[in-house]
Structure formats: structure tokens, C-alpha cells
């Protein structure tokens, strides 16, 4: 796996019971996965020679991020390195404009969009029916809320355009909530779809995942799963595909794509028969896919973010004693304010609104105490 962040760390954990030898290409020995994985190569994914050395002897190379340059992916493929997913598929996670064009060509529902280069382009886009506010997105490089700007007027758009980066404009969608559909597809075209989840975002960053999405109509959930499986097939994805969605007016629109394990699927470690990390390994190795069905009626995952106090590990005793049912996952990352350093998961046997609220409260309490040493609201 190219990249040694928390996604690689959790994928390595899933590889152990499968007996899969797992190697990571890390930026440094301090990276999250490099701390626990015995087969680590330190190198630069921007350097094609480092990538080729890393890939030597691997049955398949996969990724925990989308940032390997496209020309390097092509060079690996030309050298006979099996990549999963391949460069043709990964292009649509690296280039948001190409993704929007291809999904539109396939008839997949998306927000209205246009490439923009100057104020006149943005003005024309808003006047042609999109209206204000206008969402401006970096064509490449953005994630976790970075590279996305909601512009209420032309003055705000001018500030973004001044960055001098390639942009596209999208209509602002007045959605009810954000959803995610995580699916897997193997090289033999076997597919598996996890329950559609609700993601609770703040400032473009995922904070909570509710699985399955509470109160989501069965027809809408099935449409989202079918859409995600169709996109995986059409784009030739091998491995996991996470489709981030807007629920708006009884239908779903595609917001973003990720072709790897994804934050919206962390709940599957405790909450599904097969975790997304094991499923990704099965898919890229072309093994039969595992059962994606939930193992509990309701699961809530809450991310843990760094605060001012770095000594969060000393708070394990309180969190585990206060609620033994909470599962804590820490990523071994240095604590910095706002940095995603772990997550907690709580499962429950009831799926009604009161049960979901109770599970959320438990998970949020644990995450808050780990991060700050305080209960929520203190």
C-alpha cells in the first residue's frame, strides 16, 4: 500500500488474519502504519524510482491516498506492476472536473458544474441558473474540506480566483443531509455494498458516521447502493469505492469519490460482518468478497480530534471504565489541535431514534473526553 497513514495501519491489521504479507511505502518511520507494520520502505511517492523499488515483488499495489502523480501511475503500469485501482480509474479521484464530466456522461446525478478561470466565468455560471452562493472547488489536491469554498457573492469568488489554481464551479445544493455509499468491486466483477450511512460534517470534515443512515427510505438507500455499484463498474474500480452523496428532495446527488478505504467506513470494523479494510484486501487480491451486512442494528462512529493536551492516552482508564462498550481506535499520530488522531465506535441492538441518540451521546462523550479530558459541554 502506497502511503502509511491510518488507512494503511487499519488495512495492515486486517491483513494479519488473512495471512497476507503487507508492505507500506511510508514518508517516514514515524508514519501511522510504519509504527506497526514490519515491512516498511521509506520513500517518496513523488519519485518514480522509489515507487518502482517499493513495488518489486508485490503481487498488487494499492493506495491509502489519491496523490501519486498520474504519470508515475502510468509508468508503474507500463513496467508491469499490477495496480488496484488502476490509473484510468484513479484519474477520476485526482481530477474533479474529469470526474464530473464522466459521471454526467454516464447519467449519474450530480450538482450542476462548469470549469471556471475568471470572474466572468463565475458570473456567467451563476446567471445561467446556478445562482448564489456558488461552490468553487480545486480541480485537484483537495480533501477533508480543503480546496472547497462556498462563495456568497462575487467578491468572495474573486478572493478564491486570486489563488491562481485550476477551479470548477458547482451549484450550491440545499441538501437535507450528507450520506455515503461504500461498495467493493473485485477484478472478477464481484460486487458488495455496505448499508448507506449518514455522515455528520463540520467545516467539510467528517465528525460522525451513523450506520445505517437513520430514517433513510429503503428505496433511496437501494438507489444509492445501485448507483455506487454502477459507478464502480463503469469506472473500472478494483477495491473499495466510497461515494459521498447529498440527500436532497428524496433523491441523491454525487458529491465526491474515493477509491480506497474511507472514513465513512470505519464503523465496519465492529459494525459489519466484514470490515472495509478486509474487503479492500479481498477485492484487490481478487478473493471472494466478504459479507457486508451489519453485525449490529445501529453503529455510531465518532472521530477523535487533537486538542491542546497531547496526553490523551492517560485518559483511557476513565473512558473504558465509564463505558466498557466503547471501542477505541488510536492512530499513533502526534497530537495537534484539529488533527484527526483516532476514532471511537459504539454498537447497539436497537435502531429507533432514541437508540441512535443514546449511541451518539456515548460515542461523543468518549471522543470528547479522550481529546480534552472533559465531558461534552464542560
Amino acid at each position: 500500500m502506497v502511503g502509511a497513514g491510518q488507512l494503511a495501519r487499519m488495512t495492515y491489521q486486517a491483513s494479519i488474519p488473512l495471512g497476507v504479507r503487507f508492505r507500506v511505502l511510508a514518508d517516514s518511520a514515524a508514519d501511522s502504519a510504519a509504527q506497526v507494520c514490519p515491512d516498511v520502505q521509506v520513500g517518496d511517492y513523488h519519485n518514480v524510482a522509489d515507487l518502482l523499488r517499493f513495488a518489486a515483488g508485490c503481487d498488487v499495489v494499492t493506495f491509502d491516498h489519491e496523490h501519486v502523480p498520474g504519470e508515475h501511475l502510468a509508468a508503474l503500469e507500463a513496467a508491469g506492476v499490477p495496480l488496484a485501482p488502476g490509473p484510468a480509474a484513479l484519474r477520476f479521484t485526482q481530477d474533479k472536473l474529469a470526474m464530473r464530466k464522466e459521471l454526467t456522461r454516464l447519467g449519474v446525478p450530480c450538482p450542476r458544474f462548469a470549469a471556471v478561470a475568471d470572474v466572468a466565468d463565475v458570473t456567467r455560471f451563476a446567471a445561467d441558473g446556478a445562482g448564489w452562493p456558488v461552490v468553487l472547488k480545486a480541480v485537484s489536491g483537495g480533501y477533508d474540506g480543503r480546496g472547497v469554498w462556498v462563495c456568497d457573492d462575487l467578491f468572495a469568488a474573486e478572493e478564491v480566483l486570486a489563488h491562481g489554481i485550476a477551479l470548477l464551479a458547482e451549484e450550491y445544493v440545499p441538501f437535507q443531509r450528507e450520506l455515503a455509499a461504500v461498495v467493493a468491486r473485485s477484478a472478477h466483477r464481484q460486487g458488495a455494498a455496505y448499508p448507506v450511512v449518514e455522515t455528520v460534517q463540520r467545516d467539510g470534515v467528517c465528525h460522525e458516521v451513523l450506520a445505517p443512515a437513520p430514517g433513510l427510505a429503503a428505496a433511496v438507500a437501494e438507489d444509492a447502493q445501485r448507483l455506487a455499484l454502477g459507478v464502480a463498474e463503469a469506472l473500472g474500480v478494483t477495491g473499495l469505492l466510497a461515494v459521498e452523496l447529498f440527500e436532497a428532495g428524496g433523491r441523491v446527488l454525487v458529491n465526491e469519490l474515493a477509491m480506497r478505504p474511507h472514513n465513512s467506513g470505519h464503523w465496519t470494523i465492529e459494525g459489519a460482518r466484514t470490515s472495509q479494510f478486509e474487503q479492500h484486501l479481498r477485492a484487490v487480491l481478487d478473493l471472494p468478497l466478504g459479507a457486508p451486512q451489519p453485525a449490529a442494528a445501529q453503529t455510531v462512529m465518532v472521530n477523535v480530534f487533537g486538542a491542546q493536551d497531547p496526553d490523551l492516552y492517560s485518559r483511557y482508564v476513565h473512558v473504558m471504565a465509564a463505558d466498557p462498550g466503547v471501542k477505541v481506535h488510536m492512530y499513533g499520530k502526534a497530537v495537534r489541535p484539529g488533527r484527526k488522531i483516532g476514532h471511537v465506535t459504539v454498537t447497539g441492538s436497537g435502531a429507533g431514534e432514541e437508540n441512535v441518540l443514546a449511541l451518539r451521546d456515548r460515542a461523543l462523550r468518549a471522543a470528547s473526553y479522550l481529546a480534552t479530558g472533559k465531558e461534552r459541554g464542560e
Side-chain angles (χ1 to χ4, degrees):
M1 182 168 269
V2 175
Q6 64 261 27
L7 298 180
R9 183 185 179 106
M10 288 182 275
T11 307
Y12 165 64
Q13 291 172 294
S15 76
I16 296 170
L18 292 176
V20 173
R21 290 185 58 197
F22 191 80
R23 177 185 298 169
V24 295
L25 180 65
D27 291 334
S28 79
D31 286 357
S32 181
Q35 296 174 29
V36 297
C37 183
D39 191 351
V40 178
Q41 291 192 15
V42 175
D44 183 359
Y45 65 83
H46 294 99
N47 186 310
V48 71
D50 283 358
L51 287 166
L52 286 166
R53 278 193 294 270
F54 169 75
C58 289
D59 293 297
V60 64
V61 172
T62 189
F63 310 89
D64 90 336
H65 60 71
E66 295 91 4
H67 307 312
V68 178
E71 61 270 23
H72 292 359
L73 295 171
L76 289 170
E77 189 174 59
V81 176
L83 302 177
L90 284 169
R91 173 173 173 253
F92 298 112
T93 65
Q94 297 179 326
D95 185 327
K96 289 183 171 61
L97 183 58
M99 180 264 288
R100 280 283 179 254
K101 289 179 177 178
E102 182 64 10
L103 292 182
T104 300
R105 187 188 71 80
L106 293 169
V108 175
C110 297
R112 187 182 319 195
F113 72 96
V116 293
D118 52 33
V119 171
D121 288 340
V122 178
T123 302
R124 190 179 308 110
F125 178 73
D128 285 347
W132 294 95
V134 166
V135 179
L136 294 181
K137 288 186 176 182
V139 170
S140 62
Y143 67 99
D144 268 356
R146 300 175 181 89
V148 179
W149 300 268
V150 179
C151 301
D152 291 321
D153 52 39
L154 199 55
F155 298 106
E158 286 176 333
E159 290 184 8
V160 178
L161 288 161
H163 295 324
I165 59 175
L167 295 167
L168 73 153
E170 291 184 358
E171 67 175 320
Y172 180 82
V173 177
F175 56 87
Q176 282 80 53
R177 57 178 168 175
E178 294 187 66
L179 305 172
V182 175
V183 299
R185 179 179 179 271
S186 71
H188 271 93
R189 298 175 59 193
Q190 184 187 10
Y194 287 99
V196 177
V197 302
E198 177 179 348
T199 62
V200 180
Q201 312 273 337
R202 300 188 189 99
D203 298 323
V205 179
C206 179
H207 280 245
E208 304 173 47
V209 175
L210 315 179
L216 183 63
V220 177
E222 290 170 9
D223 284 347
Q225 290 175 313
R226 193 175 297 110
L227 180 154
L229 286 168
V231 169
E233 174 72 15
L235 301 186
V237 176
T238 300
L240 263 289
L241 172 68
V243 182
E244 298 180 59
L245 303 158
F246 296 132
E247 182 185 11
R251 66 185 190 125
V252 292
L253 303 174
V254 173
N255 181 25
E256 300 284 356
L257 302 178
M259 296 176 189
R260 52 170 171 74
H262 191 256
N263 199 174
S264 64
H266 291 357
W267 67 274
T268 60
I269 297 174
E270 285 84 25
R273 300 295 179 191
T274 307
S275 80
Q276 68 162 345
F277 303 99
E278 179 183 339
Q279 198 77 291
H280 186 68
L281 288 171
R282 287 178 178 236
V284 302
L285 293 168
D286 209 12
L287 297 170
L289 299 182
Q293 286 80 11
Q298 190 72 43
T299 301
V300 172
M301 189 282 306
V302 173
N303 285 318
V304 178
F305 294 89
Q308 297 300 325
D309 180 6
D311 190 24
L312 59 97
Y313 297 101
S314 68
R315 295 189 277 276
Y316 273 14
V317 172
H318 173 87
V319 169
M320 293 177 178
D323 191 343
V326 171
K327 294 294 185 180
V328 177
H329 297 262
M330 303 308 295
Y331 305 151
K333 299 165 88 171
V335 177
R336 295 198 298 266
R339 188 186 198 188
K340 198 180 296 179
I341 54 173
H343 72 267
V344 299
T345 307
V346 181
T347 60
S349 57
E353 183 177 351
E354 289 186 5
N355 289 307
V356 175
L357 289 173
L359 291 175
R360 289 183 74 182
D361 183 65
R362 290 170 59 194
L364 287 164
R365 282 174 179 272
S368 175
Y369 199 88
L370 283 169
T372 67
K374 299 177 182 179
E375 298 285 359
R376 282 194 306 149
E378 289 185 357

